[in-house]
Amino acid sequence: MSLKLADDQRFALMKFRRSVQDILQPHHDDYFLLRWLRARKWDPTAAEKMLRDSLEWRKQWDADNLSDWNPPQILKDYLPYGLSGFDKDGAPIIIIPFAGMDMYGVLHVVTQKDFIKAAIKILDHYLKLAREQSKKHGQDANQLTVVFDMEGFNLKQYLWRPAGEMVLLLIQMYEANYPEILKTCFIINAPRVFAFAFSVAKKFMNEYTLSKIQIYKADPPKWQEAIFKVVPKDQLPAYFGGTLYDPDGNPRLSSKICQGGKVPKDMYVNNTDKSNEDYTTVIVRKGGKLEFDIDTSEVGCILSWEFRSEDHDIKFGILKKDTANGTRTEVIPLRRVASHQSDEVGVLTCETPATYSIVFDNSYSLLRNKKVHYAVRVLPPAEQQKVTVKA
């Protein structure tokens, strides 16, 4: 096969291939090995470590047998994704209507572990399809073209810690175990709030992944022009400007692309909220308030909070102290929050080191004490954050 490599690159490939000979599988050809080498900037030793770590990870997740695993039904019904066709080079086109992802609802029904197993199964399935396509169309078909539709994207659910962690876990898993499989990624209809979410997520992506991402706001003529340079119209749903419809005329092609949707609350098994062990529990007395200080010491660190109350609402707000004169300024205005109905979550980026006062105020209630479970954390700047898998 003609790989068009410089002499030093060819030497690095030979050295890498020899060092991992004991773990290679039949489909691990030179193109496969080159992904790991490029991901480690042509360092054979670093590429070997990355590949061995990844194969060990696959054993831990039993990844090679997940094709026979039957995911929970809710993941089949509510994970928004699907194959619409193939691009001009024959590579699979994956459509993800991301706003249909009810991460809050799904994680109240399934575990993080099952969610990740489903992601591995999906990725491996499409990579196998890409390999098959490359046998017919060449190596340009051996990657994935992805369209993320962010229309209707809601940031709030990703401020809920388990949901935000899940997204970062998936990115970390992808970067460590699926190097250079992305041919191009179109993120379309991105609202303004998406910029904040992406500013956090991109800290976990490598340069190659970021170089393949094109982001467009809600301007169909612009993103359609970019997409149709690589995707034939007869391989894209009509909703995005293509010619594909469902038999019933649905332009979203829902027969092939799951649209996701809101998970009914009666399906919740509440597995995420069973325990309050990560929370501090307090009683805010009737007519009183609870107030405590949090110090942030690093520029760019993130103050995050989650809380829930039992049976009744509570007032909540955050004040920033001026160390020079002792005055305090509201940064999160004090207001009544229906945290007895759903978890209240939020984040605040700390531009400068400061002291913040967290306030739970029950002064308006003269009859009832309020029981509150809360967690307030100072997270390091985004590039330092790491998360771990929960079973």
Side-chain angles (χ1 to χ4, degrees), residues 181-232:
I181 67 167
L182 187 62
K183 187 178 181 189
T184 190
C185 176
F186 300 99
I187 297 177
I188 62 174
N189 299 321
R192 190 171 296 174
V193 294
F194 175 74
F196 170 78
F198 191 70
S199 72
V200 176
K202 73 179 183 181
K203 303 292 186 183
F204 297 85
M205 300 178 187
N206 68 27
E207 293 173 12
Y208 175 89
T209 301
L210 290 171
S211 74
K212 297 297 179 180
I213 295 175
Q214 302 178 42
I215 302 176
Y216 297 89
K217 59 185 181 181
D219 188 351
K222 278 196 174 178
W223 53 253
Q224 284 177 358
E225 180 184 2
I227 289 176
F228 289 134
K229 286 178 181 176
V230 296
V231 176

Side-chain angles (χ1 to χ4, degrees), residues 106-324:
V106 168
L107 289 178
H108 274 78
V109 182
V110 302
T111 63
Q112 279 192 346
K113 185 175 181 180
D114 276 351
F115 199 110
I116 288 178
K117 283 171 67 177
I120 296 169
K121 180 184 174 83
I122 291 165
L123 276 169
D124 283 0
H125 169 73
Y126 286 134
L127 280 180
K128 183 179 179 183
L129 177 59
R131 279 199 304 274
E132 292 169 358
Q133 286 293 105
S134 71
K135 293 172 185 175
K136 294 180 280 186
H137 301 284
Q139 283 302 310
D140 286 341
N142 200 10
Q143 289 180 299
L144 305 177
T145 293
V146 183
V147 178
F148 276 92
D149 180 16
M150 306 305 292
E151 183 180 13
F153 171 73
N154 183 354
L155 178 64
K156 184 174 180 180
Q157 67 167 323
Y158 296 97
L159 300 180
W160 180 56
R161 183 168 55 98
E165 283 187 353
M166 188 73 256
V167 173
L168 297 183
L169 277 169
L170 291 172
I171 294 172
Q172 289 177 326
M173 177 196 82
Y174 168 84
E175 291 290 4
N177 302 287
Y178 297 93
E180 311 220 357
I181 67 167
L182 187 62
K183 187 178 181 189
T184 190
C185 176
F186 300 99
I187 297 177
I188 62 174
N189 299 321
R192 190 171 296 174
V193 294
F194 175 74
F196 170 78
F198 191 70
S199 72
V200 176
K202 73 179 183 181
K203 303 292 186 183
F204 297 85
M205 300 178 187
N206 68 27
E207 293 173 12
Y208 175 89
T209 301
L210 290 171
S211 74
K212 297 297 179 180
I213 295 175
Q214 302 178 42
I215 302 176
Y216 297 89
K217 59 185 181 181
D219 188 351
K222 278 196 174 178
W223 53 253
Q224 284 177 358
E225 180 184 2
I227 289 176
F228 289 134
K229 286 178 181 176
V230 296
V231 176
K233 284 195 174 186
D234 64 359
Q235 300 293 303
L236 201 69
Y239 184 79
F240 300 112
T243 61
L244 294 176
Y245 289 87
D246 275 328
D248 63 0
N250 185 342
R252 289 183 178 269
L253 201 66
S254 298
S255 62
K256 295 178 69 176
I257 301 163
C258 177
Q259 301 296 311
K262 203 79 175 165
V263 176
K265 288 195 173 181
D266 60 11
M267 295 180 70
Y268 287 15
V269 295
N270 215 28
N271 67 302
T272 305
D273 293 340
K274 276 180 183 172
S275 170
N276 289 317
E277 62 184 19
D278 290 338
Y279 293 78
T280 299
T281 299
V282 295
I283 303 293
V284 185
R285 296 295 175 187
K286 55 190 177 186
K289 65 172 67 172
L290 169 71
E291 190 170 325
F292 58 91
D293 290 346
I294 294 284
D295 291 319
T296 61
S297 57
E298 291 184 83
V299 174
C301 65
I302 296 170
L303 179 64
S304 78
W305 61 91
E306 297 173 57
F307 65 89
R308 69 178 76 97
S309 52
E310 294 188 10
D311 302 324
H312 303 284
D313 63 9
I314 188 83
K315 270 189 176 181
F316 174 79
I318 300 179
L319 308 172
K320 182 179 181 180
K321 288 186 176 181
D322 187 322
T323 52

